[in-house]
Amino acid sequence: MSGSPGLSYFLRRLSQAVLVMFVVVLGNFLLIRLAPGDLVDVLGGTTDLSPEQALALRQRYGLDQPLLMQFLRYAGNLLHFDLGFSPRQGAPVVNVLLERLPTTLALVFLSLFLSVAIGTAVGVLAARRAGTVADFGLSLVVLLFYATPSFIIALLLILGFSVYLPWLPSAGISTPGLDLEGFAKLLDIGRHFILPVIALSTFYTAIYGRLSRAAMLEVLSQDFIRTARAKGVPERSLLWRHALRNALMPIVTMAGLQVSSLLGGAVLIETVFGLPGIGRTAFDAVMERDTNMLLGVLFMSSLGVVCVNLLVDLIYRLVDPRVELA
Amino acid sequence: MRRTFKALLKHPSGLVGLVLLAGILIMAASAGTAYPEGPWPMDGTPTLWPGEERAYLLGTDAMGRDLLAGLLYGARVSLAIGLAATAVALLVGVTAGALAGYHGGWIDDALMRFTDAMQTIPSFLFAVVIVGVLTPSLLTIICSIALVSWPTVARLVRAEFLRLRSLDFVLACRTMGMSDARIIFRQILPNCVAPIIVASSVLVATAIIIEASLSFLGLGDPNAMSWGTMIGAARPSLRTAWYMTLVPAAAVVATVLALNLIGDALNDALNPRRRER
């Protein structure tokens, strides 16, 4: 290996990521194009088209070309981030997605942050009291969260905190008809995010709870902890600084892997809570057969996941230099 | 096999899981005898609360369909889809993982990049797209779940094969002139049954969650009464008649919980090294 090992490692990971994106793009394209019925058939289902009009539309969207040509044109457009036009939305796909991206990013990353924070805290507390009633109780709650699909949690939260205790809004991203500015507006939007974020994060909280409990138990049984305890490190600092720092690695890895899964969960949560994000857009695009929009959502979310994975890889190497350069 | 089962019964969470799962199985099995006319007839008074009328123990939905009938038939759908999707995912995943792990080289590279790509696309989003584009039916739902779950199996099996293929007993088999296929399926594969079994219970649980989520969104098989469909149909009445949501939701949670508990117990029983946890 020549040059800096870090750089060549990064370049190799980057080329792998590009390859992965190519496979994703090709796979999605084939899936959507090989499905029965194209965009024109769908448009024809709602408005009556003559054969001539249908042919003209197919020519306009390039659907009369051979599959390979269609793919090359599609991939070529992707390279300068042209995701095509959505006839349903009457706007370029990129514009629609970029406008709705912040909602989904806020939902996904707030949920990730909340679940890592609470899950880790629960895991550490359970590990410290391993074998006691408190540990059993926490593990039971974690087990229940782990088994409950997010949309069921969402419905229960709406029932509890929007219907019976009318504290929080259950739909939309802001209170309609209320013309707020500045901080008040932010507060209003924030209130609309509370239930969706909790609903999306419970399952992942359970995962981190289980994971960090196991990791902490393993670390706490190691020699350096006994040494630290012997030299009089206070129990609290032992737990939260010495042990947790070493138990964090599997949690960081897991957090990187979860971004993709959280984006999938956003489809459900955004649909239940009527949040105008990417997930909701994807669901609508499936229902309306908006193929360009659908391909765009798949491309954008995969690109996001690839970038996050790359980032996690780098962070991982920065945090723990022992990690192999393979 | 019998020893594993005994270990499960001794394990507290294994026992609870098995009892729960047995309950679900009885529900699925009794659906036909208890309600021979199926879950669809709208013959009850709409929106009966549980216990309000003796004939409808768990009440009726907004269209007067018996919730208990839906619950029993839903158990069939959930279990059938969970098992079928897992079987397909195992078949594809084990084959791909075994070939890649055993042979290495370009087959391995190709598989790893392909599973990378598969795990990059958010799996639930992918399942929604596949089922939506190919029109919802039991078959497309099973295929979509299998398609998003097999990469996990493939990676697991590949890792086991990588570990096992350099061991002495494989070398001995090769020296004896055993064929690759025989080494893979008769010699190495039996040694990775334990992690595959543990993964399977989680796979079935995940498949049941995906199916419930899909049908909740209205992407279920229109001819199958599933728990997700019931929850989706109950959404407009959530504010006034929450029991319609709670009854099928409890069934989903109980089933997934049972499978997770069994998975945990299997993990402890089959991995003696980690038993002390």
Side-chain angles (χ1 to χ4, degrees):
Chain A
M1 230 191 279
S2 64
S4 130
L7 183 69
S8 87
Y9 168 79
F10 178 71
L11 286 179
R12 195 165 66 240
R13 286 288 292 122
L14 196 66
S15 66
Q16 276 179 6
V18 171
L19 190 64
V20 163
M21 277 314 291
F22 179 77
V23 176
V24 167
V25 167
L26 181 63
N28 289 339
F29 180 83
L30 289 179
L31 172 75
I32 305 272
R33 280 295 185 278
L34 293 181
D38 63 8
L39 178 74
V40 177
D41 291 330
V42 177
L43 285 177
T46 50
T47 55
D48 246 341
L49 290 176
S50 68
E52 293 81 32
Q53 280 173 313
L55 186 66
L57 267 177
R58 284 207 169 86
Q59 275 170 349
R60 188 170 145 208
Y61 291 117
L63 295 173
D64 54 340
Q65 309 264 326
L67 206 60
L68 180 67
M69 291 308 292
Q70 285 189 42
F71 176 69
L72 288 180
R73 212 176 80 170
Y74 171 68
N77 286 341
L78 278 186
L79 286 181
H80 43 265
F81 225 69
D82 175 3
L83 299 178
F85 188 81
S86 160
R88 289 281 179 188
Q89 303 280 345
V93 169
V94 173
N95 296 9
V96 177
L97 290 183
L98 285 182
E99 184 202 329
R100 300 181 181 180
L101 189 62
T103 306
T104 302
L105 286 184
L107 177 65
V108 164
F109 284 101
L110 284 174
S111 303
L112 187 64
F113 181 75
L114 188 73
S115 55
V116 169
I118 296 187
T120 311
V122 165
V124 171
L125 289 178
R128 192 175 70 172
R129 288 157 213 264
T132 66
V133 181
D135 175 33
F136 182 74
L138 281 177
S139 300
L140 209 63
V141 174
V142 163
L143 214 54
L144 263 182
F145 277 176
Y146 192 61
T148 313
S150 63
F151 72 93
I152 291 181
I153 301 259
L155 295 174
L156 294 179
L157 283 173
I158 291 179
L159 198 61
F161 296 101
S162 196
V163 178
Y164 277 86
L165 304 169
W167 291 346
L168 291 166
S170 66
I173 193 170
S174 58
T175 314
L178 221 62
D179 207 15
L180 296 167
E181 283 298 323
F183 187 66
K185 187 179 175 189
L186 200 67
L187 208 66
D188 183 49
I189 294 179
R191 275 167 48 83
H192 283 80
F193 266 100
I194 296 178
L195 293 186
V197 167
I198 297 178
L200 186 54
S201 60
T202 44
F203 174 74
Y204 302 94
T205 308
I207 290 189
Y208 297 122
R210 286 167 69 112
L211 196 69
S212 56
R213 180 178 177 275
M216 283 297 283
L217 281 182
E218 189 148 323
V219 173
L220 283 174
S221 69
Q222 285 177 15
D223 288 341
F224 78 93
I225 292 290
R226 194 187 314 150
T227 313
R229 192 172 276 145
K231 75 176 193 192
V233 174
E235 198 64 20
R236 174 174 299 198
S237 144
L238 189 81
L239 202 64
W240 295 99
R241 291 195 42 204
H242 294 241
L244 181 59
R245 187 176 291 181
N246 283 280
L248 268 180
M249 291 328 265
I251 298 172
V252 171
T253 317
M254 189 57 110
L257 289 175
Q258 294 302 354
V259 170
S260 163
S261 159
L262 277 160
L263 276 172
V267 177
L268 277 165
I269 297 300
E270 286 176 8
T271 310
V272 173
F273 287 100
L275 287 176
I278 304 274
R280 171 90 216 225
T281 309
F283 179 65
D284 291 343
V286 168
M287 289 318 204
E288 296 166 344
R289 290 275 175 140
D290 191 341
T291 47
N292 275 350
M293 184 61 80
L294 214 46
L295 282 172
V297 171
L298 288 170
F299 175 75
M300 285 272 276
S301 43
S302 307
L303 189 65
V305 171
V306 163
C307 291
V308 169
N309 285 350
L310 219 52
L311 206 65
V312 167
D313 246 35
L314 292 178
I315 295 175
Y316 203 91
R317 296 236 315 104
L318 284 179
V319 178
D320 189 351
R322 288 170 305 179
V323 175
E324 255 186 85
L325 290 174
Chain B
M1 205 60 200
R2 183 182 287 170
R3 217 175 56 212
T4 312
F5 193 72
K6 271 190 183 152
L8 268 190
L9 283 177
K10 270 191 201 142
H11 196 290
S13 52
L15 184 63
V16 176
L18 281 177
V19 169
L20 271 175
L21 191 64
I24 309 285
L25 283 172
I26 292 172
M27 282 168 59
S30 61
T33 4
Y35 295 94
E37 64 288 351
W40 302 103
M42 308 178 199
D43 49 5
T45 320
T47 329
L48 274 181
W49 280 69
E52 205 175 324
E53 219 174 90
R54 180 90 50 87
Y56 302 95
L57 220 55
L58 291 178
T60 57
D61 69 3
M63 292 158 91
R65 293 178 299 213
D66 193 333
L67 280 187
L68 184 58
L71 204 66
L72 299 190
Y73 278 92
R76 285 188 171 184
V77 175
S78 282
L79 289 178
I81 288 187
L83 291 176
T86 304
V88 177
L90 281 180
L91 195 69
V92 178
V94 168
T95 313
L99 288 177
Y102 184 74
H103 289 292
W106 70 267
I107 301 184
D108 190 31
D109 279 342
L111 176 82
M112 289 317 279
R113 289 299 84 76
F114 191 73
T115 53
D116 275 349
M118 288 294 301
Q119 291 181 327
T120 298
I121 307 174
S123 55
F124 184 68
L125 175 61
F126 203 40
V128 166
V129 171
I130 295 170
V131 173
V133 166
L134 300 178
T135 66
S137 72
L138 287 180
L139 185 69
T140 55
I141 293 172
I142 290 170
C143 289
S144 74
I145 298 174
L147 196 65
V148 298
S149 341
W150 76 266
T152 327
V153 184
R155 288 190 163 227
L156 177 85
V157 173
R158 169 187 176 267
E160 286 295 305
F161 266 70
L162 277 182
R163 186 172 63 82
L164 292 167
R165 74 166 178 193
S166 53
L167 295 188
D168 285 344
F169 79 95
V170 176
L171 190 65
C173 293
R174 232 181 250 148
T175 329
M176 283 166 60
M178 215 178 261
S179 72
D180 279 353
R182 188 135 181 242
I183 298 179
I184 291 178
F185 291 108
R186 301 294 300 276
Q187 301 295 327
I188 305 185
L189 198 56
N191 281 295
C192 27
V193 165
I196 294 177
I197 289 179
V198 173
S200 304
S201 68
V202 181
L203 280 177
V204 178
T206 314
I208 288 177
I209 290 185
I210 299 181
E211 190 279 329
S213 308
L214 283 172
S215 47
F216 168 71
L217 286 178
L219 291 168
D221 187 322
N223 300 315
M225 177 63 89
S226 119
W227 293 333
T229 314
M230 293 169 72
I231 301 175
R235 247 189 97 191
S237 0
L238 179 66
R239 274 154 207 278
T240 48
W242 45 262
Y243 67 91
M244 288 180 204
T245 302
L246 237 51
V247 167
V252 175
V253 175
T255 311
V256 176
L257 186 66
L259 289 162
N260 286 342
L261 287 172
I262 293 173
D264 284 352
L266 278 173
N267 196 27
D268 289 346
L270 297 172
N271 286 343
R273 266 173 302 144
R274 304 179 63 193
R275 194 172 284 162
E276 67 269 27
R277 265 184 218 159

